[in-house]
Amino acid sequence: MATLAHCFFCFDVLAARFEKRKHLSLLQVEHLCKRYQGKDESGNSTTLDPEHDSNQGDEDDSMSDPDQGLEEPSTEDEEEHQASAAEPVEESVAQPSPLRLPTISRLQAPSPSSASTSSTPSTFSASSSRLALDEPASKTSSSTSIFSFGRRSQQPSPVLREEHCPLFVTWNTISARGNKSLRGCIGTFEPQELSAGLANYALTAAFDDTRFSPIEPAELPTLAVHITLLNTFTPCAHVLDWELGTHGLRISFTYHGRRMGATYLPDVAVEQGWTKEETVVSLMRKAGWTGRSKEWRNVPDLKAVRYEGKGEGCRWSTWRDWRAWVDQQTRDENEKK
C-alpha cells in the first residue's frame, strides 16, 4: 500500500533534481515521516499538516479526463518483446533507455500506429535520473546525523530491502481554484524495488511523458503527486470478472491481425461513473478497436487480468512543510554539537 512517505520521497527526488543535490533515501524519508507524525521513540508529539487529510488520495480521484489509466495500442511484436520481462504487459512499453525502465503511461493518448510510434522516453530521463541518484551529496545533508542515521543505526530489514512492487507515479497541477490537471503519469507492471522504482518513475513521469513538456521548477508549488502500488494480479474467468472500485483491469485482444491492450487503474471506472461493460468498451477503444459498441463481445481472444492497488497522494505544500521541519531538525542537531 502506498504511503505518505512514498509521496514525500517522490517530491524530494524531484526537488533534488532541480536543486542539484542528493535526495534523501526512502529509508530516511520513512524514518523522518514517522517522527514528523509523532511516532518517534522519544514520544515527541508532532502533527501532520491537515492539508494532507483534506487532499490525500485525491490527486487522481477527481480527474475529469476519461483517458486516464490508458496505454497505447500494443502489437504482436510488442507482446513478444514484453513477454521477456519479469511481469509481461499487453500495453505498449517504452524502448529501453540506458536505465532500462519498462515504462508505460497511465494516460497515454490512443495511437493508430504500431510499435514504431510507441511512446519512447528521451535520453533526458536517463540523465535526469542519474543527476538525482548519483550527484554528490551536499555538505548539509552529508554532515548531519539526521540524514546519516540509516547508515549508522537503522539498517533496513530484509523485508524492506527485498520489497518489490509494480507502481505508477502521477503528477498533477492544482490551480488556484482547485482544478486538477494531469501533468505526467508513468508506471510499470514489472515489480520494482521501491526505492529505485519510485525515484526512477518520479523523474520519468515528470520529464518523459511525451504528451507533456517537462515539468519546470516554477511549477513545483502547484504540483500534487499520487502513488499507486499494484498487487494481486489474477486472470479473469471472463472479461467482466472483476469488481468496480476494487480492481484495476488489463485487457488484451486481437484486432486486424494485431495484438492490442490497455489498462485502467482501480479508481478510474468509479470516477467516470461507468458500468463494467462501459469500462471494457472504453478500454478497447483506447487500445485501438473501432468496432460498434454492441459488438465488443465478438472480438477474438478477448482476455482480461484484474489487479488491486491502493494509492496515496499529497500536495507540494504538504511536502514543503515536512521538509522545512526536517531542515529545522538538522539545524537543531548541529547546534547541539
Side-chain angles (χ1 to χ4, degrees), residues 238-259:
H238 52 83
V239 77
L240 300 180
D241 180 28
W242 54 283
E243 296 298 326
L244 287 166
T246 299
H247 297 116
L249 190 67
R250 295 166 57 189
I251 65 167
S252 63
F253 56 92
T254 301
Y255 188 56
H256 292 330
R258 298 165 54 196
R259 194 69 183 166

Side-chain angles (χ1 to χ4, degrees), residues 58-311:
D58 71 350
E59 280 62 39
D60 282 37
D61 295 344
S62 62
M63 290 293 297
S64 59
D65 184 354
D67 287 354
Q68 59 186 329
L70 301 179
E71 319 309 322
E72 286 187 1
S74 64
T75 65
E76 233 12 276
D77 292 340
E78 286 176 307
E79 295 232 318
E80 292 173 2
H81 171 73
Q82 293 159 4
S84 64
E87 176 65 30
V89 228
E90 290 85 14
E91 297 72 25
S92 70
V93 178
Q95 299 298 319
S97 69
L99 285 179
R100 297 191 178 276
L101 301 181
T103 60
I104 59 177
S105 170
R106 183 188 179 205
L107 296 162
Q108 197 66 42
S111 169
S113 55
S114 60
S116 61
T117 58
S118 297
S119 174
T120 304
S122 66
T123 55
F124 191 89
S125 174
S127 60
S128 301
S129 299
R130 289 195 187 96
L131 280 172
L133 297 173
D134 300 337
E135 193 151 3
S138 65
K139 292 181 180 180
T140 300
S141 63
S142 62
S143 62
T144 57
S145 59
I146 194 171
F147 293 124
S148 59
F149 80 94
R151 295 187 296 273
R152 297 189 299 109
S153 62
Q154 303 232 0
Q155 296 299 323
S157 68
V159 173
L160 289 176
R161 284 200 304 267
E162 296 173 1
E163 186 175 4
H164 290 67
C165 190
L167 57 90
F168 275 80
V169 177
T170 302
W171 295 106
N172 293 303
T173 55
I174 311 296
S175 71
R177 294 184 176 182
N179 296 323
K180 188 184 310 178
S181 299
L182 181 69
R183 198 60 183 83
C185 182
I186 302 289
T188 178
F189 286 115
E190 180 177 346
Q192 302 287 302
E193 191 277 322
L194 283 185
S195 181
L198 288 172
N200 289 336
Y201 284 100
L203 294 178
T204 305
F207 301 125
D208 286 321
D209 189 326
T210 57
R211 296 159 302 164
F212 307 97
S213 60
I215 288 176
E216 299 289 344
E219 297 178 82
L220 290 175
T222 70
L223 285 181
V225 68
H226 192 84
I227 312 300
T228 308
L229 304 183
L230 311 181
N231 59 77
T232 319
F233 290 80
T234 307
C236 297
H238 52 83
V239 77
L240 300 180
D241 180 28
W242 54 283
E243 296 298 326
L244 287 166
T246 299
H247 297 116
L249 190 67
R250 295 166 57 189
I251 65 167
S252 63
F253 56 92
T254 301
Y255 188 56
H256 292 330
R258 298 165 54 196
R259 194 69 183 166
M260 297 180 170
T263 189
Y264 277 136
L265 295 181
D267 56 343
V268 175
V270 173
E271 290 174 8
Q272 300 302 320
W274 290 333
T275 65
K276 290 197 286 186
E277 182 170 329
E278 289 171 335
T279 303
V280 171
V281 171
S282 177
L283 273 176
M284 293 175 66
R285 293 212 180 282
K286 295 307 179 180
W289 182 65
T290 58
R292 296 181 179 178
S293 296
K294 295 181 179 180
E295 298 176 352
W296 68 269
R297 296 177 185 270
N298 300 327
V299 173
D301 199 23
L302 177 58
K303 297 181 180 179
V305 174
R306 64 177 184 260
Y307 58 88
E308 299 178 23
K310 297 297 183 181

